[in-house]
Amino acid sequence: MQDPILLTGGTGFIGAHTATALASAKLPFVILDNLSNSSAKVLDRLARLNASPLAFVNADVRDAQALDAVFARFKFSGVIHFAGLKAVGESVAQPLRYFDNNVNGTLQLLQAMQRAGVKKIVFSSSATVYGDPASVPIREDAALSATNPYGRSKLLCEDMLRELARVDNSWKIALLRYFNPVGAHESGLLGESPHGVPNNLMPFMTQVAMGQREHLQIFGNDYDTPDGTGMRDYLHVMDLAQGHLAALQALDAPKLLTVNLGTGQGVSVKQMVDTFARVTGVPIAHRFVARRPGDIAQCWADPTLAQQLLGWKAQLGLDRMCADAWRWQSMNPQGFDTSL
Ligand code: NAD
Ligand code: UDP
């Protein structure tokens, strides 16, 4: 059997979907997660999808002892580091918590990897590192900036990893800048299950469609975009999962890879609402309200480099994203607490 991969944050939204992609490719893995933003019930769902980890370790990435123990127990071929906090608004209210969890967490992990002699890491970065981009589509060499503590935490981690690669040429590092992952596993057994009121468009929309929320607030219809609503690059979470496999494969020698993972298509909030209604047959009640502070008008990727360096290209379109998100939400009205 091949040496396993360590997935930190592997019970979260993107981590769990990536786990199924690893299992389909017959790549063994271990999950380490402190369950701060996920449910242990994800593990039952992974088992039903024949995607169980070799082990699940309930631990924090800032816990050096727990990290040393897992690196002593398994000989890992590499790490995919998903573990992190991701709510922009929360990061403004609690910046130091974000720096501790995301930046210190990444530092502790890298130190443990160095102690164990494991020097291959795929890091979950974000399109947020481009701040308010000067133009779209965004290439990887665009200017970087942070507009909130969450974004700053991702930039600080990127800086740390870039510097590490520059001074120590034994590391294999991929910085994957995700655009807007949505959708769900096509089985309906895995999906996004935010605690409380969703911040993101797709989970809010699916909850409105379920009747769990009265209407969607569309934040701004006076942007300089064709229909006035904000535009983003939504990509299917299973395409994103495949991007991680491609990155692991591309890290066959010490190097630093920095790539956007997006479709290259800008989609407006209005287009998303209309597509969801057409695909599912369920209209989304909505109202236009003021812009959300900190939002940008438009953000989408130039995904050319991902194709060149990783041989990766998004395959699944907006219709599939809506259909799969809706299947997940309708089968799991209480998220992972739904008994299926
Ligand atoms: P998620 O919250 O669903 O998953 C993150 C997981 O990490 C959760 O299971 C959580 O319990 C765990 N975790 C958090 N802090 C931890 C710690 N200190 N120790 C151990 N486990 C910890 O989020 P996601 O959407 O799956 O995102 C995964 C990664 O991708 C995050 O780093 C996020 O910042 C990044 N990202 C996400 C998006 C997005 O829109 N979902 C976009 C760009 C980047
Ligand atoms: N959005 C919205 N109503 C919501 C949530 C989001 O109109 O309840 C809009 C938001 O203004 C942005 C787009 O949907 O234009 C995507 O927002 P999301 O929070 O999902 O992602 P991000 O802001 O991180 O790109």
Side-chain angles (χ1 to χ4, degrees), residues 6 24 42 62 72 78 83 100 108 112 127 152 156 161-162 169 174 176 192 197 227 247 278 324 335 337:
L6 177 64
S24 298
V42 168
R62 291 164 295 181
D100 184 30
Q108 295 294 333
R152 180 64 64 191
L156 287 167
L161 288 158
R162 257 190 296 277
N169 62 12
L176 303 184
E192 191 170 8
V197 183
D227 66 19
R278 176 176 53 73
D324 289 343
D337 288 331

Side-chain angles (χ1 to χ4, degrees), residues 204-205 207-217 283-287:
F204 203 104
M205 258 181 17
Q207 292 191 8
V208 172
M210 285 295 284
Q212 293 172 334
R213 299 191 186 276
E214 206 175 300
H215 64 268
L216 171 73
Q217 294 189 319
I284 303 289
H286 59 271
R287 288 185 198 157

Side-chain angles (χ1 to χ4, degrees), residues 88 126 128 179-180 182 198-205 216-220 223 229-234 267-269 289 291-292 295-297 299:
V88 171
S126 165
T128 190
F179 280 67
N180 288 58
V182 297
N199 293 308
N200 296 112
L201 178 62
M202 181 63 96
F204 203 104
M205 258 181 17
L216 171 73
Q217 294 189 319
I218 297 185
F219 298 135
Y223 283 109
T229 66
M231 294 177 79
R232 297 289 183 274
D233 186 337
Y234 299 96
V267 171
S268 75
V269 179
V289 299
R291 294 180 180 191
R292 183 169 64 178
D295 267 0
I296 55 178
C299 176

Side-chain angles (χ1 to χ4, degrees), residues 61-62 98-109 160:
V61 283
R62 291 164 295 181
Y98 270 66
F99 294 139
D100 184 30
N101 198 88
N102 294 3
V103 184
N104 182 29
T106 301
L107 177 59
Q108 295 294 333
L109 175 66
M160 198 155 61

Side-chain angles (χ1 to χ4, degrees), residues 85-87 90-91 94-103:
L85 300 174
K86 62 168 183 177
E90 192 181 65
S91 81
Q94 304 172 32
L96 299 179
R97 180 168 163 237
Y98 270 66
F99 294 139
D100 184 30
N101 198 88
N102 294 3
V103 184

